[in-house]
């Protein structure tokens, strides 16, 4: 039968179905092939197990107690819990940056430009906690950035008007109510014409209170360009001839006192003010408020070392200069082996006069006494008589008495009043 089938296949062509049937009959069965593959896999697995057994035979295992196993499991659980509750610093920092970036963009997108026809000003209205206000104020409040950028913060209507009257450059205006700008609208518009790049922001009162140094903020805050020494010298010379008086501030740590000193010196007016190293910053907000505009009318040389103080005296007057130290501390007078005279008993002043005033806490430094000794008998310590039980006056009040007494003496002696500019260091 098989022979007949093969003969028929070779004698004439058949269909594909017949050919496939013959091929299956001649080839091994599927079950046999599957069985062979399974045997091969089992053999390979057995060889792998045997190889692992030989490799692990050289490893020495130390006995482990149940207590150690439990301690290890507890430690792993605690570590996992800590990592879940306290993510890594890099993860926190990255998440914080993403949040700040997103929130900053959201807050800045809420601001809008407003053209106020009533005020005649165009300003940007900021939402609460807008980051642009923080960036602006941080740079203005930092002494390092303030000295680098030359910006000062001025609060309050009166002081702003003083700065505008002295024609200081206006860089930014920050206010919370339109009524605060209504009273100073005309001088503001004049200042904006000279500096169109000035930024004007309307902010919530809460933000203004956050950045204000006053308990009750006045409602308007401005950033001005700090006036240069040459500019103030020129303005003071145009207004009046200064008296030949240089006031040296020594160890003045209280900004309000320093501001009051500057106010008094501008009122006389004095030739210049020298602020030595160790004093507070004369251009910070509290000192500016205490000065009431005096900073813009009298030359101020700050952060001066005692080695450079003699260079502040005009060279043409150095040979005939007097040095006066305000001192009520008897112990310091004894230590420096000098006597003090009544401030009203000054008999003679020089072509130029230097008055050294110290802080209420630390007083005058030893460098001031060495400086006074360089002029010989033209150096005097001045004492202000006080009632029993009182050690000293407020530093600004004491300086006011001494300066006006010296002013009277200078005018009586008909000394020539210098109109020259302060010496350049």
């Amino acid at each position: 039968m098989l022979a007949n089938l093969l003969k028929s296949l070779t004698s004439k062509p058949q269909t594909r179905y017949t050919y496939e049937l013959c091929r299956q009959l001649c080839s091994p069965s599927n079950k046999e092939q599957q069985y062979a593959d399974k045997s091969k896999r089992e053999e390979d697995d057995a060889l792998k197990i045997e190889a692992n057994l030989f490799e692990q035979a050289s490893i020495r295992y130390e006995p482990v107690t149940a207590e150690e196993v439990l301690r290890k499991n507890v430690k792993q659980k605690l570590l996992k819990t800590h990592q879940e509750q306290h993510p890594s610093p890099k993860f926190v920092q990255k998440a914080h940056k993403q949040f700040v970036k997103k929130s900053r963009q959201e807050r800045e997108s809420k601001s809008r430009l407003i053209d106020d026809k009533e005020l005649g000003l165009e300003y940007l209205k900021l939402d609460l906690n807008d980051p642009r206000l923080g960036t602006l104020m941080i740079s203005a409040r930092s002494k390092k950035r303030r000295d680098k950028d030359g910006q000062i913060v001025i609060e309050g209507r009166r002081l702003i008007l003083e700065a505008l009257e002295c024609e200081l450059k206006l860089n930014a205006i920050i206010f919370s109510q339109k009524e605060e700008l209504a009273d100073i609208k005309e001088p503001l518009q004049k200042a904006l014409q000279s500096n169109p790049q000035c930024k004007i922001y309307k902010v919530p009162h809460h933000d203004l209170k956050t950045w204000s140094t006053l308990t009750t903020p006045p409602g308007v805050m401005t950033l001005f360009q700090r006036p240069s020494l040459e500019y103030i010298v020129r303005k003071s010379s145009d207004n009046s001839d200064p008296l030949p008086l240089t006031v040296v501030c020594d160890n003045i740590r209280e900004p309000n006192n320093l501001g009051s000193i500057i106010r008094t010196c501008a009122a006389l007016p004095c030739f210049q003010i020298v602020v030595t190293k160790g004093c507070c910053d004369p251009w910070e907000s509290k000192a500016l408020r205490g000065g009431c505009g005096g900073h813009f009318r009298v030359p101020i040389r700050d952060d001066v070392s005692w080695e450079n103080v003699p260079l502040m005296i005009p060279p043409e007057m150095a040979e005939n200069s007097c040095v006066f130290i305000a001192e009520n501390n008897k112990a310091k007078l004894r230590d420096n082996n000098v006597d003090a005279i009544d401030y009203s008993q000054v008999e003679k002043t020089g072509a130029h006069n230097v008055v050294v005033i110290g802080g209420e806490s630390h007083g005058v430094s030893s460098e001031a006494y060495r400086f006074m000794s360089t002029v010989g008998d033209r150096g005097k310590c001045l004492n202000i008589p006080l009632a029993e039980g009182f050690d000293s006056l407020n530093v600004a009040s004491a300086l006011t008495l001494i300066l006006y007494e010296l002013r009277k003496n200078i005018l009586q002696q008909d000394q020539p009043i210098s109109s020259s500019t302060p010496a350049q260091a």
Side-chain angles (χ1 to χ4, degrees):
M1 181 178 179
L2 182 59
N4 293 333
L5 180 60
L6 292 173
K7 185 179 179 180
S8 63
L9 289 172
T10 56
S11 61
K12 52 184 176 180
Q14 298 292 328
T15 62
R16 184 176 180 82
Y17 174 79
T18 307
Y19 176 79
E20 288 293 334
L21 180 62
C22 294
R23 188 180 63 80
Q24 291 178 6
L25 290 173
C26 299
S27 61
S29 64
N30 291 337
K31 290 185 177 180
E32 292 178 354
Q33 184 65 36
Q34 292 176 1
Y35 178 78
D37 293 342
K38 183 178 180 182
S39 300
K40 179 66 175 174
R41 287 196 300 271
E42 291 178 352
E43 183 178 356
D44 293 340
D45 293 341
L47 291 174
K48 289 180 180 179
I49 294 172
E50 184 178 359
N52 290 334
L53 289 175
F54 278 109
E55 289 177 1
Q56 296 180 6
S58 59
I59 300 176
R60 299 181 62 183
Y61 293 93
E62 299 293 336
V64 180
T65 62
E67 182 181 358
E68 292 177 351
V69 174
L70 291 174
R71 188 185 298 113
K72 183 178 180 181
N73 293 338
V74 170
K75 185 177 180 180
Q76 290 177 349
K77 289 181 179 179
L78 290 175
L79 181 61
K80 184 178 180 181
T81 304
H82 178 77
Q83 291 176 349
E84 291 176 354
Q85 295 179 355
H86 305 281
S88 63
K90 290 184 178 179
F91 173 79
V92 174
Q93 188 176 9
K94 183 178 179 181
H96 177 68
K97 285 184 178 179
Q98 292 176 352
F99 170 76
V100 170
K101 184 177 180 181
K102 182 178 178 181
S103 60
R104 183 187 182 96
Q105 293 173 349
E106 290 177 351
R107 285 178 287 173
E108 288 186 355
S109 63
K110 295 180 181 179
S111 62
R112 58 186 184 275
L113 190 64
I114 296 177
D115 187 5
D116 196 313
K117 303 298 183 182
E118 183 181 353
L119 289 175
L121 300 174
E122 193 176 73
Y123 56 84
L124 193 65
K125 186 175 181 180
L126 303 183
D127 198 26
L128 184 67
N129 296 328
D130 192 288
R132 281 170 289 191
L133 177 62
T135 303
L136 185 67
M137 295 308 300
I138 287 173
S139 61
R141 293 296 186 193
S142 168
K143 186 180 185 304
K144 185 176 180 180
R145 293 293 301 274
R146 185 167 63 244
D147 292 341
K148 181 180 178 181
D149 300 336
Q151 288 196 127
I152 53 176
V153 182
I154 297 179
E155 298 182 64
R157 173 180 171 275
R158 179 181 175 184
L159 196 54
I160 291 173
L161 287 174
E162 291 283 346
L164 293 174
E165 184 181 346
C166 294
E167 299 179 352
L168 269 65
K169 183 181 177 182
L170 182 61
N171 292 334
I173 306 171
I174 305 162
F175 69 100
S176 59
Q177 299 294 332
K178 292 199 303 181
E179 293 77 11
E180 305 294 341
L181 296 183
D183 296 337
I184 56 176
K185 180 174 66 173
E186 293 182 2
L188 274 181
Q189 290 176 345
K190 183 180 178 181
L192 292 173
Q193 289 176 359
S194 60
N195 184 25
Q197 290 79 26
C198 176
K199 301 175 183 178
I200 307 177
Y201 299 111
K202 185 178 186 299
V203 301
H205 185 73
H206 179 271
D207 283 350
L208 197 67
K209 187 176 181 180
T210 300
W211 291 105
S212 175
T213 56
L214 299 173
T215 306
T216 305
V220 59
M221 187 184 302
T222 54
L223 269 67
F224 281 91
Q225 195 71 24
R226 174 176 165 177
S228 64
L229 179 64
E230 293 76 13
Y231 174 81
I232 299 176
V233 169
R234 186 173 65 253
K235 294 289 288 185
S236 61
S237 300
D238 293 342
N239 295 333
S240 60
D241 291 331
L243 294 171
L245 283 167
T246 292
V247 175
V248 179
C249 298
D250 186 22
N251 288 327
I252 307 294
R253 309 292 175 84
E254 178 57 43
N256 291 326
N257 286 339
L258 184 56
S260 299
I261 290 171
I262 295 171
R263 181 180 184 180
T264 301
C265 294
L268 259 78
C270 288
F271 182 66
Q272 65 182 348
I273 302 172
V274 177
V275 181
T276 60
K277 290 184 177 181
C279 294
C280 59
D281 183 11
W283 296 100
E284 68 122 7
S285 296
K286 289 183 179 180
L288 285 168
R289 286 198 305 274
C292 294
H295 293 70
F296 319 136
R297 291 180 168 85
V298 62
I300 302 172
R301 304 189 67 88
D302 60 324
D303 204 28
V304 178
S305 64
W306 273 104
E307 296 175 354
N308 294 325
V309 169
L311 302 178
M312 302 296 106
I313 302 174
E316 65 274 13
M317 303 178 185
E319 295 298 327
N320 188 23
S321 296
C322 295
V323 177
F324 302 99
I325 292 179
E327 184 65 271
N328 267 35
N329 191 326
K330 296 180 180 180
K332 278 194 174 183
L333 292 172
R334 288 194 301 268
D335 293 341
N336 291 279
N337 196 23
V338 293
D339 296 324
I341 62 172
D342 193 301
Y343 79 102
S344 62
Q345 302 300 320
V346 176
E347 297 178 356
K348 186 179 179 180
T349 54
H352 195 83
N353 304 276
V354 180
V355 179
V356 183
I357 188 75
E360 297 178 17
S361 301
H362 300 84
V364 178
S365 63
S366 57
E367 289 86 351
Y369 282 96
R370 286 197 290 269
F371 172 64
M372 185 184 70
S373 65
T374 59
V375 297
D377 58 354
R378 287 181 281 113
K380 304 288 183 183
C381 286
L382 304 182
N383 174 270
I384 300 176
L386 300 174
E388 187 177 353
F390 283 89
D391 296 330
S392 63
L393 288 174
N394 172 268
V395 59
S397 302
L399 179 65
T400 302
L401 291 173
I402 293 173
L403 288 181
Y404 275 92
E405 189 65 30
L406 292 176
R407 177 181 182 272
K408 183 175 67 174
N409 194 300
I410 291 170
L411 296 178
Q412 286 176 352
Q413 294 185 15
D414 196 23
Q415 292 282 354
I417 297 176
S418 171
S419 60
S420 59
T421 57
Q424 299 296 321

